[in-house]
Amino acid sequence: EVQLVESGGGLVQPGGSLRLSCAASGFTFRNYAMNWVRQAPGKGFEWLSSINSGAGSTSYADSVKGRFTISRDNAKNTLYLQMKSLKPEDTAMYYCAKGRRPDYYSKYARFDYDYRGQGTQVTVSS
């Protein structure tokens, strides 16, 4: 059974930083691209970032480019999202998501995933 468990969210002031983690199990993590998406209150899902299985390629939404960094540790089956210069508009539930197909990555793909975790809340407020 695929399990994705996010952690690291919380309340942070504007301009602050947080690092989210996603612990993966139930599949061969190192074979799949991974993604981060978010959903703000009353809004649809927004794709944020993707990383290929080997961590050599990444892509970002314009809204977070230069502020967020996706990474992964295949030895620990863990995905990360380092967030800096946080803004109130970054307030949302953040989810990690598993790519659909093994050994596939496209920098143009946006919602190419089949499983999503339960999410971790990030609130940016003074």
Side-chain angles (χ1 to χ4, degrees):
E1 178 190 3
V2 172
Q3 288 196 327
L4 300 167
V5 180
E6 301 91 341
S7 61
L11 175 63
V12 62
Q13 291 188 340
S17 299
L18 279 176
R19 189 175 83 152
L20 306 183
S21 298
C22 169
S25 62
F27 65 102
T28 308
F29 181 75
R30 64 180 180 273
N31 288 352
Y32 288 84
M34 294 294 293
N35 308 267
W36 285 100
V37 299
R38 69 185 179 189
Q39 186 176 33
K43 296 189 176 181
F45 281 93
E46 178 186 12
W47 171 84
L48 299 178
S49 184
S50 296
I51 185 168
N52 74 330
S53 58
S57 297
T58 58
S59 51
Y60 297 91
D62 287 344
S63 60
V64 304
K65 195 174 296 182
R67 299 189 300 122
F68 291 11
T69 302
I70 191 172
S71 62
R72 65 191 294 164
D73 186 336
N74 286 342
K76 295 182 178 180
N77 287 355
T78 303
L79 178 73
Y80 303 100
L81 186 68
Q82 178 68 51
M83 306 185 295
K84 65 179 183 180
S85 303
L86 283 162
K87 307 173 183 179
E89 52 263 44
D90 293 318
T91 295
M93 188 73 80
Y94 284 69
Y95 302 86
C96 64
K98 169 188 164 293
R100 259 181 234 282
R101 292 160 281 180
D103 300 315
Y104 176 78
Y105 169 81
S106 169
K107 65 179 181 180
Y108 303 108
R110 293 295 177 259
F111 292 96
D112 189 24
Y113 60 84
D114 53 6
Y115 289 91
R116 195 173 60 222
Q118 294 298 306
T120 186
Q121 177 68 38
V122 172
T123 302
V124 185
S125 175
S126 56

